[in-house]
Amino acid sequence: MRVRRGNYPCRSPEETSLPSSSPRTKRAAPSSSGSGHPEAGRHPGHCQGAGAELGLAKAEGEEWEAERGWPKAKAMAAPGAAGGRALLRGLSLSWPLGAGSVSQSFRSSAVRCEATIISGTEMARQICKEICHEVKSWVSLGNRKPHLSIILVGDNPASHTYVRNKIKAATAVGIGSEVILKPKDVSQEELLDITEQLNMDPRVSGILVQLPLPDHIDERTVCNGIAPGKDVDGFHIVNVGRLCLDQHSMIPATACAVWEIIKRTGIETFGKNVVVVGRSKNVGMPITMLLHSDGEHERPGGDATVTITHRYTPKEQLKIHTQLADIIIVAAGIPKMITSDMVREGAAVIDVGINHIRDPVTGRTKLVGDVDFEEVKKKAKFITPVPGGVGPMTVAMLLKNTLLAAKKIIF
């Protein structure tokens, strides 16, 4: 990894090929009992993860009844799409390579357990192993190593931390990288000149401008200055438009992370009620597009019924929506916005929030999400922690996008 201040340097070249999608299968409508998987083997596409509805099995000769609550289960590791293992604490999952279904077994019990905590850290580790294998295979065929260029403006500590994490993760999977540092008073014109040079450089696979930018710079203009095929953040207007039209595109990494978590965990979306709390164009909107769109389209979606709310939705109205939801995805930036009384028994809760608050006990600053984790996990079936949930997965999906850009799979 090279760090350059000032003028943009020369780097090293790259190219690609399309991944084979799994064949689509026509899905049967879900059964009235809610058991069985109506769409096994679907969800092909470049942000693909193994996953399907979790089948409820007979345990120790007693037939499972969903209304009795979730029984205790042995903690096991769930194989990922490439045969690796993503840890799902408190849950037994398994699926074979290339399979579109998940099997699950439980011990019969009249007492309901707490939620399965989805380890985004372990899932991201598995995905990074898959990416590393793909990078080695790609390079072994005589292609150039994928290369990620990151433009970092100013001295925002959080931005510098995020960039360091991305560089470290890229190095670990064999993706080359560099950071182009610019002062906070850099002009918008200079940033556009840099993105144009990077666009023209065949050695650069992906380009990322770390947000936020200083107030005098229009973020949308700068993001649109990146070529759509190198836009690994998925923020270019062409990628946003293609996403909304259910076409293949670079999908924003956080939205792609949420989608991958849902699929790899086997959380059913077909015909389910989903509430997305947060309407940002970089997170809430693309998550909504992925979940509500048709599973038979070019870029398959989740076929869910999606309701979008946000920080100005009245609390009582928000509660009405979330209590009906099978899946709640929260990205509003408000600590403990979702409390246990707002969540139905057995819901899946994915927390995208990142908030720094002062711990009243220790007096130290700690990282929390938008969900009251300790209370909600007593009612939910699945829940992601903060930290260790969506965050690591976002970095993994950024690296996946960089590999896709190097292979020129989308454009």
Side-chain angles (χ1 to χ4, degrees), residues 61-119:
E62 293 186 12
E63 190 170 276
W64 169 258
E65 295 178 6
E67 65 270 21
R68 291 183 183 173
W70 287 88
K72 294 183 178 179
K74 294 181 180 179
M76 293 184 65
R85 308 184 75 79
L87 182 65
L88 300 174
R89 294 192 295 279
L91 171 66
S92 169
L93 292 178
S94 65
W95 59 86
L97 176 63
S101 62
V102 179
S103 66
Q104 178 186 36
S105 62
F106 291 101
R107 290 178 182 269
S108 180
S109 171
V111 181
R112 188 189 177 282
C113 285
E114 290 186 346
T116 295
I117 299 173
I118 303 169
S119 175

Side-chain angles (χ1 to χ4, degrees), residues 154-401:
D155 50 11
N156 184 316
S159 292
H160 280 256
T161 299
Y162 295 148
V163 168
R164 280 196 300 271
N165 290 341
K166 292 168 184 176
I167 293 297
K168 181 179 178 181
T171 301
V173 300
I175 292 177
S177 61
E178 68 174 339
V179 179
I180 301 173
L181 294 171
K182 302 302 294 183
K184 63 182 178 182
D185 59 353
V186 65
S187 68
Q188 180 169 297
E189 290 68 27
E190 184 175 354
L191 287 184
L192 291 173
D193 285 343
I194 293 172
T195 58
E196 182 59 29
Q197 291 177 63
L198 293 170
N199 288 339
M200 301 288 288
D201 192 333
R203 301 179 181 94
V204 176
S205 311
I207 306 168
L208 180 156
V209 177
Q210 184 64 43
L211 303 180
L213 293 173
D215 292 340
H216 68 281
I217 298 174
D218 181 67
E219 292 181 353
R220 184 59 59 189
T221 299
V222 173
C223 289
N224 285 336
I226 299 171
K230 295 187 177 185
D231 170 35
V232 291
D233 256 341
F235 294 163
H236 191 284
I237 192 170
V238 169
N239 280 316
V240 174
R242 289 171 68 96
L243 174 65
C244 293
L245 292 173
D246 301 348
Q247 297 176 348
H248 291 305
S249 66
M250 290 291 185
I251 300 175
T254 302
C256 197
V258 171
W259 188 216
E260 194 78 0
I261 287 170
I262 287 172
K263 291 187 290 182
R264 290 198 178 222
T265 306
I267 298 170
E268 179 60 82
T269 60
F270 187 84
K272 301 299 183 180
N273 289 323
V274 178
V275 169
V276 176
V277 184
R279 58 185 175 182
S280 76
K281 302 306 179 227
N282 298 339
V283 180
M285 184 276 289
I287 288 173
T288 300
M289 292 296 107
L290 290 169
L291 287 170
H292 96 281
S293 53
D294 195 322
E296 301 291 344
H297 285 182
E298 177 184 314
R299 190 269 303 143
D303 286 316
T305 300
V306 183
T307 301
I308 305 176
T309 66
H310 46 78
R311 63 172 62 207
Y312 299 119
T313 301
K315 187 80 171 183
E316 288 309 309
Q317 288 187 25
L318 175 61
K319 185 175 179 179
I320 291 171
H321 291 303
T322 56
Q323 286 179 335
L324 295 173
D326 301 295
I327 304 170
I328 303 172
I329 301 166
V330 198
I334 301 175
K336 295 188 177 182
M337 184 179 191
I338 301 299
T339 52
S340 62
D341 62 310
M342 302 171 71
V343 179
R344 67 186 290 184
E345 291 279 349
V349 181
I350 299 177
D351 193 347
V352 187
I354 299 176
N355 308 287
H356 293 87
I357 65 169
R358 187 178 182 82
D359 190 315
V361 177
T362 65
R364 297 179 180 178
T365 299
K366 68 176 183 178
L367 188 65
V368 299
D370 292 350
V371 175
D372 185 351
F373 180 81
E374 292 301 325
E375 294 302 316
V376 171
K377 75 177 183 180
K378 297 174 184 177
K379 293 181 70 175
K381 180 159 80 171
F382 298 101
I383 191 168
T384 60
V386 177
V390 176
M393 284 292 291
T394 296
V395 175
M397 301 321 295
L398 172 68
L399 300 179
K400 184 69 172 178
N401 279 353

